[in-house]
Short mmCIF file of all heavy atoms in Angstrom, two decimals:
data_model
loop_
_atom_site.label_atom_id
_atom_site.label_comp_id
_atom_site.label_asym_id
_atom_site.label_seq_id
_atom_site.Cartn_x
_atom_site.Cartn_y
_atom_site.Cartn_z
N ASP A 1 41.91 303.22 113.35
CA ASP A 1 42.29 302.85 111.98
C ASP A 1 41.21 301.99 111.36
O ASP A 1 41.14 300.79 111.59
CB ASP A 1 43.63 302.10 111.98
CG ASP A 1 44.14 301.78 110.58
OD1 ASP A 1 43.47 302.19 109.61
OD2 ASP A 1 45.18 301.12 110.46
N ILE A 2 40.38 302.61 110.52
CA ILE A 2 39.28 301.89 109.90
C ILE A 2 39.77 300.82 108.93
O ILE A 2 39.05 299.88 108.59
CB ILE A 2 38.35 302.89 109.17
CG1 ILE A 2 36.98 302.26 108.90
CG2 ILE A 2 38.98 303.41 107.89
CD1 ILE A 2 35.97 303.25 108.37
N GLY A 3 41.03 300.93 108.47
CA GLY A 3 41.58 299.95 107.55
C GLY A 3 42.08 298.69 108.22
O GLY A 3 42.45 297.73 107.54
N ASN A 4 42.07 298.65 109.54
CA ASN A 4 42.56 297.49 110.28
C ASN A 4 41.42 296.48 110.47
O ASN A 4 40.39 296.83 111.06
CB ASN A 4 43.11 297.92 111.63
CG ASN A 4 43.85 296.81 112.36
OD1 ASN A 4 43.55 295.64 112.19
ND2 ASN A 4 44.81 297.19 113.17
N PRO A 5 41.58 295.23 110.00
CA PRO A 5 40.50 294.23 110.16
C PRO A 5 40.09 294.01 111.61
O PRO A 5 38.96 293.57 111.86
CB PRO A 5 41.12 292.96 109.56
CG PRO A 5 42.19 293.44 108.63
CD PRO A 5 42.73 294.69 109.25
N PHE A 6 40.97 294.30 112.56
CA PHE A 6 40.63 294.17 113.97
C PHE A 6 39.38 294.97 114.30
O PHE A 6 38.49 294.51 115.03
CB PHE A 6 41.81 294.65 114.83
CG PHE A 6 41.48 294.90 116.27
CD1 PHE A 6 41.37 293.86 117.17
CD2 PHE A 6 41.28 296.19 116.73
CE1 PHE A 6 41.06 294.09 118.51
CE2 PHE A 6 40.98 296.44 118.06
CZ PHE A 6 40.88 295.38 118.95
N PHE A 7 39.28 296.19 113.75
CA PHE A 7 38.15 297.06 114.08
C PHE A 7 36.87 296.68 113.34
O PHE A 7 35.78 297.06 113.75
CB PHE A 7 38.51 298.52 113.80
CG PHE A 7 39.48 299.10 114.80
CD1 PHE A 7 40.78 299.37 114.44
CD2 PHE A 7 39.08 299.34 116.10
CE1 PHE A 7 41.68 299.89 115.36
CE2 PHE A 7 39.97 299.86 117.03
CZ PHE A 7 41.28 300.14 116.66
N THR A 8 37.01 295.93 112.25
CA THR A 8 35.82 295.54 111.49
C THR A 8 34.88 294.69 112.33
O THR A 8 33.68 294.97 112.46
CB THR A 8 36.22 294.77 110.22
OG1 THR A 8 37.14 295.56 109.47
CG2 THR A 8 35.00 294.44 109.38
N ALA A 9 35.43 293.61 112.92
CA ALA A 9 34.62 292.74 113.76
C ALA A 9 34.18 293.45 115.03
O ALA A 9 33.07 293.23 115.53
CB ALA A 9 35.40 291.47 114.10
N LEU A 10 35.04 294.31 115.56
CA LEU A 10 34.69 295.04 116.78
C LEU A 10 33.47 295.93 116.56
O LEU A 10 32.51 295.91 117.35
CB LEU A 10 35.90 295.88 117.22
CG LEU A 10 35.83 296.62 118.55
CD1 LEU A 10 37.24 296.82 119.11
CD2 LEU A 10 35.16 297.98 118.40
N VAL A 11 33.48 296.69 115.46
CA VAL A 11 32.35 297.59 115.19
C VAL A 11 31.09 296.79 114.91
O VAL A 11 29.98 297.22 115.27
CB VAL A 11 32.70 298.53 114.01
CG1 VAL A 11 31.48 299.33 113.59
CG2 VAL A 11 33.83 299.46 114.41
N ARG A 12 31.23 295.62 114.29
CA ARG A 12 30.05 294.78 114.06
C ARG A 12 29.41 294.37 115.39
O ARG A 12 28.18 294.38 115.54
CB ARG A 12 30.43 293.54 113.26
CG ARG A 12 29.26 292.61 112.94
CD ARG A 12 28.17 293.35 112.17
NE ARG A 12 27.00 292.54 111.94
CZ ARG A 12 26.81 291.80 110.85
NH1 ARG A 12 27.72 291.78 109.89
NH2 ARG A 12 25.70 291.11 110.70
N GLY A 13 30.25 294.04 116.37
CA GLY A 13 29.71 293.70 117.69
C GLY A 13 28.99 294.87 118.33
O GLY A 13 27.92 294.71 118.94
N VAL A 14 29.54 296.08 118.17
CA VAL A 14 28.88 297.28 118.69
C VAL A 14 27.53 297.49 118.01
O VAL A 14 26.51 297.72 118.66
CB VAL A 14 29.77 298.52 118.48
CG1 VAL A 14 29.00 299.80 118.84
CG2 VAL A 14 31.04 298.42 119.31
N GLU A 15 27.54 297.39 116.69
CA GLU A 15 26.32 297.67 115.93
C GLU A 15 25.20 296.69 116.25
O GLU A 15 24.03 297.08 116.37
CB GLU A 15 26.61 297.66 114.43
CG GLU A 15 25.41 298.11 113.62
CD GLU A 15 25.61 297.97 112.13
OE1 GLU A 15 26.27 297.00 111.71
OE2 GLU A 15 25.10 298.81 111.39
N ASP A 16 25.54 295.41 116.38
CA ASP A 16 24.51 294.42 116.67
C ASP A 16 23.80 294.72 117.99
O ASP A 16 22.57 294.62 118.09
CB ASP A 16 25.12 293.01 116.69
CG ASP A 16 25.42 292.50 115.28
OD1 ASP A 16 25.02 293.15 114.31
OD2 ASP A 16 26.08 291.44 115.17
N VAL A 17 24.56 295.08 119.01
CA VAL A 17 23.94 295.42 120.30
C VAL A 17 23.15 296.71 120.17
O VAL A 17 22.04 296.84 120.72
CB VAL A 17 25.02 295.54 121.39
CG1 VAL A 17 24.41 296.08 122.69
CG2 VAL A 17 25.67 294.18 121.65
N ALA A 18 23.70 297.69 119.46
CA ALA A 18 23.01 298.97 119.29
C ALA A 18 21.65 298.78 118.63
O ALA A 18 20.64 299.35 119.06
CB ALA A 18 23.87 299.93 118.46
N GLN A 19 21.60 297.96 117.58
CA GLN A 19 20.34 297.71 116.89
C GLN A 19 19.32 297.04 117.81
O GLN A 19 18.13 297.35 117.74
CB GLN A 19 20.59 296.83 115.66
CG GLN A 19 21.32 297.53 114.53
CD GLN A 19 20.49 298.63 113.90
OE1 GLN A 19 19.34 298.42 113.52
NE2 GLN A 19 21.06 299.82 113.80
N GLN A 20 19.79 296.15 118.65
CA GLN A 20 18.89 295.45 119.58
C GLN A 20 18.30 296.40 120.62
O GLN A 20 17.22 296.16 121.14
CB GLN A 20 19.64 294.33 120.29
CG GLN A 20 20.08 293.19 119.38
CD GLN A 20 21.10 292.29 120.07
OE1 GLN A 20 21.32 292.37 121.28
NE2 GLN A 20 21.75 291.43 119.29
N THR A 21 19.03 297.46 120.93
CA THR A 21 18.61 298.35 122.01
C THR A 21 18.10 299.70 121.51
O THR A 21 17.92 300.63 122.31
CB THR A 21 19.79 298.58 123.00
OG1 THR A 21 20.96 298.98 122.26
CG2 THR A 21 20.11 297.30 123.76
N GLY A 22 17.87 299.82 120.20
CA GLY A 22 17.23 301.01 119.67
C GLY A 22 18.16 302.16 119.32
O GLY A 22 17.71 303.31 119.16
N TYR A 23 19.44 301.89 119.18
CA TYR A 23 20.40 302.93 118.83
C TYR A 23 20.95 302.71 117.43
O TYR A 23 20.96 301.58 116.91
CB TYR A 23 21.56 302.96 119.83
CG TYR A 23 21.17 303.42 121.21
CD1 TYR A 23 20.87 302.50 122.21
CD2 TYR A 23 21.10 304.78 121.51
CE1 TYR A 23 20.50 302.92 123.48
CE2 TYR A 23 20.73 305.20 122.78
CZ TYR A 23 20.42 304.26 123.76
OH TYR A 23 20.06 304.69 125.01
N SER A 24 21.45 303.77 116.82
CA SER A 24 22.19 303.70 115.56
C SER A 24 23.63 304.09 115.84
O SER A 24 23.93 304.75 116.84
CB SER A 24 21.58 304.65 114.52
OG SER A 24 20.24 304.28 114.24
N VAL A 25 24.52 303.70 114.93
CA VAL A 25 25.96 303.88 115.15
C VAL A 25 26.54 304.78 114.06
O VAL A 25 26.27 304.61 112.88
CB VAL A 25 26.68 302.53 115.14
CG1 VAL A 25 28.21 302.71 115.21
CG2 VAL A 25 26.21 301.66 116.31
#
């Protein structure tokens, strides 16, 4: 559920690590 604020912070955590390691999300 993209409308749930729970997933907003979760995806941000994923993206930050992905950017550090050369991946896109």
Side-chain angles (χ1 to χ4, degrees):
D1 184 3
I2 198 172
N4 189 331
F6 165 79
F7 287 109
T8 305
L10 186 153
V11 172
R12 181 58 184 267
V14 172
E15 186 186 36
D16 285 351
V17 172
Q19 289 293 309
Q20 294 166 12
T21 51
Y23 292 96
S24 298
V25 174

